[in-house]
Short mmCIF file of all heavy atoms in Angstrom, two decimals:
data_model
loop_
_atom_site.label_atom_id
_atom_site.label_comp_id
_atom_site.label_asym_id
_atom_site.label_seq_id
_atom_site.Cartn_x
_atom_site.Cartn_y
_atom_site.Cartn_z
N LEU A 160 65.11 -48.98 -3.25
CA LEU A 160 64.71 -49.50 -4.55
C LEU A 160 65.76 -50.42 -5.13
O LEU A 160 65.44 -51.48 -5.70
CB LEU A 160 64.44 -48.35 -5.52
CG LEU A 160 63.24 -47.45 -5.18
CD1 LEU A 160 63.20 -46.26 -6.13
CD2 LEU A 160 61.94 -48.24 -5.27
N THR A 161 67.05 -50.03 -5.02
CA THR A 161 68.12 -50.82 -5.62
C THR A 161 68.72 -51.84 -4.67
O THR A 161 69.56 -52.64 -5.08
CB THR A 161 69.24 -49.89 -6.12
OG1 THR A 161 69.77 -49.16 -5.01
CG2 THR A 161 68.73 -48.92 -7.16
N ALA A 162 68.34 -51.80 -3.40
CA ALA A 162 68.84 -52.72 -2.37
C ALA A 162 70.35 -52.88 -2.43
O ALA A 162 70.87 -54.01 -2.50
CB ALA A 162 68.15 -54.08 -2.50
N PRO A 163 71.11 -51.78 -2.38
CA PRO A 163 72.57 -51.89 -2.54
C PRO A 163 73.23 -52.49 -1.30
O PRO A 163 72.99 -52.07 -0.17
CB PRO A 163 73.01 -50.44 -2.74
CG PRO A 163 71.97 -49.64 -2.00
CD PRO A 163 70.68 -50.39 -2.16
N ALA A 164 74.05 -53.50 -1.51
CA ALA A 164 74.81 -54.10 -0.41
C ALA A 164 75.92 -53.15 0.02
O ALA A 164 76.44 -52.37 -0.78
CB ALA A 164 75.39 -55.44 -0.85
N GLY A 165 76.29 -53.21 1.30
CA GLY A 165 77.32 -52.31 1.81
C GLY A 165 77.52 -52.53 3.30
O GLY A 165 77.02 -53.51 3.87
N PRO A 166 78.20 -51.62 3.98
CA PRO A 166 78.51 -51.80 5.41
C PRO A 166 77.33 -51.44 6.32
O PRO A 166 77.45 -50.62 7.24
CB PRO A 166 79.71 -50.87 5.62
CG PRO A 166 79.51 -49.77 4.64
CD PRO A 166 78.88 -50.42 3.42
N TRP A 167 76.19 -52.04 6.07
CA TRP A 167 74.97 -51.69 6.80
C TRP A 167 75.05 -52.08 8.28
O TRP A 167 74.53 -51.36 9.14
CB TRP A 167 73.77 -52.38 6.16
CG TRP A 167 73.41 -51.83 4.81
CD1 TRP A 167 73.76 -52.34 3.59
CD2 TRP A 167 72.64 -50.65 4.55
NE1 TRP A 167 73.25 -51.55 2.59
CE2 TRP A 167 72.55 -50.51 3.15
CE3 TRP A 167 72.01 -49.70 5.36
CZ2 TRP A 167 71.87 -49.47 2.53
CZ3 TRP A 167 71.32 -48.66 4.75
CH2 TRP A 167 71.25 -48.55 3.37
N TYR A 168 75.71 -53.20 8.60
CA TYR A 168 75.78 -53.63 10.00
C TYR A 168 76.61 -52.66 10.83
O TYR A 168 76.26 -52.33 11.98
CB TYR A 168 76.38 -55.04 10.10
CG TYR A 168 75.57 -56.11 9.40
CD1 TYR A 168 76.17 -57.30 8.98
CD2 TYR A 168 74.20 -55.95 9.15
CE1 TYR A 168 75.44 -58.29 8.33
CE2 TYR A 168 73.47 -56.93 8.50
CZ TYR A 168 74.09 -58.09 8.09
OH TYR A 168 73.37 -59.07 7.44
N LEU A 169 77.70 -52.17 10.27
CA LEU A 169 78.53 -51.21 10.98
C LEU A 169 77.78 -49.89 11.16
O LEU A 169 77.81 -49.29 12.23
CB LEU A 169 79.84 -50.98 10.22
CG LEU A 169 80.83 -49.99 10.85
CD1 LEU A 169 81.13 -50.34 12.31
CD2 LEU A 169 82.12 -49.96 10.03
N LEU A 170 77.07 -49.46 10.12
CA LEU A 170 76.26 -48.24 10.26
C LEU A 170 75.23 -48.42 11.36
O LEU A 170 75.02 -47.50 12.18
CB LEU A 170 75.57 -47.90 8.93
CG LEU A 170 74.65 -46.67 9.00
CD1 LEU A 170 75.46 -45.39 9.20
CD2 LEU A 170 73.78 -46.57 7.75
N ALA A 171 74.58 -49.57 11.41
CA ALA A 171 73.55 -49.80 12.42
C ALA A 171 74.14 -49.71 13.83
O ALA A 171 73.51 -49.15 14.74
CB ALA A 171 72.91 -51.17 12.20
N HIS A 172 75.35 -50.23 14.01
CA HIS A 172 76.00 -50.13 15.32
C HIS A 172 76.25 -48.67 15.69
O HIS A 172 75.99 -48.25 16.83
CB HIS A 172 77.31 -50.91 15.32
CG HIS A 172 78.07 -50.78 16.60
ND1 HIS A 172 77.69 -51.42 17.76
CD2 HIS A 172 79.17 -50.05 16.92
CE1 HIS A 172 78.52 -51.10 18.74
NE2 HIS A 172 79.43 -50.28 18.26
N ILE A 173 76.76 -47.90 14.75
CA ILE A 173 77.04 -46.48 15.02
C ILE A 173 75.75 -45.74 15.36
O ILE A 173 75.71 -44.92 16.29
CB ILE A 173 77.73 -45.84 13.80
CG1 ILE A 173 79.11 -46.45 13.58
CG2 ILE A 173 77.83 -44.32 13.98
CD1 ILE A 173 79.73 -46.08 12.25
N LEU A 174 74.70 -46.03 14.64
CA LEU A 174 73.44 -45.31 14.86
C LEU A 174 72.79 -45.70 16.19
O LEU A 174 71.98 -44.93 16.72
CB LEU A 174 72.48 -45.53 13.70
CG LEU A 174 72.98 -45.04 12.33
CD1 LEU A 174 71.87 -45.13 11.29
CD2 LEU A 174 73.54 -43.63 12.41
N ARG A 175 73.15 -46.85 16.73
CA ARG A 175 72.69 -47.17 18.08
C ARG A 175 73.37 -46.28 19.11
O ARG A 175 72.80 -45.97 20.16
CB ARG A 175 72.95 -48.65 18.39
CG ARG A 175 71.95 -49.60 17.72
CD ARG A 175 72.05 -51.00 18.29
NE ARG A 175 73.28 -51.67 17.91
CZ ARG A 175 73.43 -52.41 16.80
NH1 ARG A 175 72.41 -52.55 15.96
NH2 ARG A 175 74.58 -52.98 16.53
N LEU A 176 74.59 -45.86 18.81
CA LEU A 176 75.32 -44.95 19.71
C LEU A 176 74.88 -43.50 19.51
O LEU A 176 74.83 -42.72 20.47
CB LEU A 176 76.82 -45.08 19.46
CG LEU A 176 77.44 -46.45 19.74
CD1 LEU A 176 78.90 -46.48 19.31
CD2 LEU A 176 77.32 -46.81 21.22
N ASP A 177 74.60 -43.13 18.27
CA ASP A 177 74.22 -41.75 17.95
C ASP A 177 73.38 -41.78 16.67
O ASP A 177 73.93 -41.86 15.56
CB ASP A 177 75.47 -40.88 17.75
CG ASP A 177 75.12 -39.42 17.55
OD1 ASP A 177 73.93 -39.07 17.52
OD2 ASP A 177 76.06 -38.61 17.42
N PRO A 178 72.05 -41.74 16.79
CA PRO A 178 71.16 -41.98 15.64
C PRO A 178 71.34 -41.03 14.47
O PRO A 178 71.05 -41.39 13.33
CB PRO A 178 69.76 -41.85 16.25
CG PRO A 178 69.94 -42.08 17.70
CD PRO A 178 71.29 -41.55 18.04
#
Side-chain angles (χ1 to χ4, degrees):
L160 294 173
T161 60
W167 291 98
Y168 298 157
L169 180 52
L170 177 69
H172 176 74
I173 294 169
L174 299 188
R175 284 193 290 271
L176 297 174
D177 186 358

